[in-house]
Amino acid sequence: MTPTDDLLKWRPEFPILASTTYMVTHSLGAMPNRTRERLAEFAETWATRGVRAWEERWWDMPKEVGNLLARIIGAAPGTVLMLPNQSTAQATVLSCFDWTGPRNAVVTERLNFPSNLYLFHGLERLGARIVTVPSDDGMTIDIERLLAAIDESTKLVSVSHVLFKSSAVQDLTAIVDRAHAVGALVLADLYQSAGTVPINVDALGVDFATGGSVKWLCGGPGAGYLYVRPDVRATLQPRLTGWAAHRAPFAFDDGPIDYADDVSRFANGSPAIPALYSAMSGYEIIAEIGVPAIRAKSLRQTRQLMQLAEAAGLRIVSPREDRARGGTVVLDVPNGHAVTKQLAEENVLVDYRPGAGIRVAPYFYTTDAEIERTIDAIVVARRAALPAAIRV
Ligand SMILES: Cc1ncc(COP(=O)(O)O)c(C=O)c1O
């Protein structure tokens, strides 16, 4: 038994593992058992406390749950606010700036998540210039090219920590250093890293970080988050706003808004309370295990997965080097969509992304045998998906 096998003791906490080989946490993490209790608690509170629930707990839950998340990404208490999703969190940051002056560029990468790219291009209507660093191999972004794109005209550098299509890890330290050296701010999308790749936003000095709970945090939909560096917070006045961002929301003052001093400044309307209840258990479990232990197991199992895939003749389109690879391995399998569907019939869950391939993710709850089963199932399904004439 390797020491990391200790993590398998968590398996009974995730009901789906009893019936399913669950290799798709990069898309939707498995639900913890105790989430049922948390959701029941939400229903009970609503049923019995009614409108009093707002002042007894609900109104401050975006900050309460944000503090649970903060521990996972190395943020100080009071610096993270929960928002309905990652796209809203990014849009809130972008709405803080004026894009008309000489410093009007957003530097980003072609492999950033589509929502983010759509939002940046929307800023062109407000005078922003979008500098998108291309990818030569569809898997990585050359870091020197990215750093060279950042100059005195850059207002914001917006990148993903781990790229969603290939699971490549980007060098946030180098990006933050370069951006700050020329007076630009950095917005990092942590959706594919937080929980599975260690990150410390405080030590890194990143200005903004965004993400959500659906994937590695096992927290379910509707619970995105926004981290803002405390010393930049007071200078920002988001245009994407609402009454929850007011310093005294229940005064129902007419406009213009008088922003709250704390992280509520980045809120908009009423928070998505059931989603916050559903997010908490995953955060607690990840924090209890600790991301370094999760990462150590992930590196071991993704290496195992790549060895088996290679031995089976499957092409790997994720970085091989440990430090450059997140929690997912992407395999370029012909007829990937059909193969993924066939696996689902057999209760082996992976997913397929056009232009990337089949994404396979072990997590702290995965056994080594499940990795073997997944590769075996892909090999068999790949043969079945080939036209009969070329099957061997
Ligand atoms: C890196 C990354 N960013 C953003 C998103 C989407 O975030 P949301 O749906 O919360 O806006 C995803 C996946 O859905 C993702 O993988």
Side-chain angles (χ1 to χ4, degrees), residues 78-84 88-89 91-97 207-208 225-230 232-242 244-246 257 259-269:
T79 60
V80 175
L81 183 76
M82 301 305 296
L83 289 169
T88 311
T92 305
V93 175
L94 301 178
S95 80
C96 294
F97 303 108
D207 302 283
F208 308 98
Y225 60 86
L226 169 62
Y227 160 82
V228 182
R229 221 178 78 194
V232 292
R233 178 168 72 219
T235 64
L236 301 170
Q237 305 202 327
R239 284 186 299 275
L240 174 45
T241 189
H246 195 280
I257 186 167
Y259 290 100
D261 291 327
D262 70 1
V263 73
S264 299
R265 191 180 188 86
F266 302 97
N268 45 70

Side-chain angles (χ1 to χ4, degrees), residues 85-88 113 115-116 160 162 164 189 191-192 212 215:
N85 53 53
Q86 197 277 157
S87 304
T88 311
F113 193 77
S115 266
N116 303 340
S160 287
V162 171
F164 82 102
D189 178 342
Y191 216 145
Q192 289 292 352
K215 307 170 193 294

Side-chain angles (χ1 to χ4, degrees), residues 48-255:
T48 59
R49 302 303 298 156
V51 72
R52 290 169 292 194
W54 282 115
E55 61 176 325
E56 288 170 357
R57 186 175 190 191
W58 288 359
W59 189 255
D60 284 328
M61 272 188 90
K63 288 186 279 190
E64 178 197 335
V65 178
N67 282 341
L68 291 180
L69 185 277
R71 296 188 292 172
I72 297 168
I73 62 168
T79 60
V80 175
L81 183 76
M82 301 305 296
L83 289 169
N85 53 53
Q86 197 277 157
S87 304
T88 311
Q90 289 253 334
T92 305
V93 175
L94 301 178
S95 80
C96 294
F97 303 108
D98 171 40
W99 301 97
T100 52
R103 194 185 272 279
N104 67 343
V106 177
V107 173
T108 186
E109 75 259 316
R110 173 77 58 215
L111 300 176
N112 203 332
F113 193 77
S115 266
N116 303 340
L117 298 175
Y118 302 158
L119 287 166
F120 307 149
H121 285 292
L123 297 175
E124 287 172 325
R125 281 178 262 163
L126 303 177
R129 197 165 55 84
I130 311 307
V131 180
T132 310
V133 179
S135 166
D136 289 331
D137 56 5
M139 177 168 88
T140 55
I141 303 290
D142 181 64
I143 184 70
E144 294 308 327
R145 208 156 161 190
L146 179 60
L147 298 180
I150 304 169
D151 61 24
E152 275 70 17
S153 70
T154 309
K155 186 175 290 278
L156 190 69
V157 181
S158 181
V159 292
S160 287
H161 185 199
V162 171
L163 300 172
F164 82 102
K165 265 193 182 174
S166 62
S167 195
V169 179
Q170 304 216 97
D171 184 351
L172 282 184
T173 306
I175 293 167
V176 171
D177 286 352
R178 169 74 187 150
H180 287 178
V182 298
L185 298 171
V186 178
L187 164 57
D189 178 342
L190 307 184
Y191 216 145
Q192 289 292 352
S193 61
T196 188
V197 176
I199 169 109
N200 188 310
V201 289
D202 205 1
L204 205 57
V206 69
D207 302 283
F208 308 98
T210 58
S213 308
V214 167
K215 307 170 193 294
W216 306 101
L217 298 172
C218 298
Y225 60 86
L226 169 62
Y227 160 82
V228 182
R229 221 178 78 194
D231 52 325
V232 292
R233 178 168 72 219
T235 64
L236 301 170
Q237 305 202 327
R239 284 186 299 275
L240 174 45
T241 189
W243 70 294
H246 195 280
R247 85 170 51 248
F250 293 94
F252 298 103
D253 275 348
D254 55 13

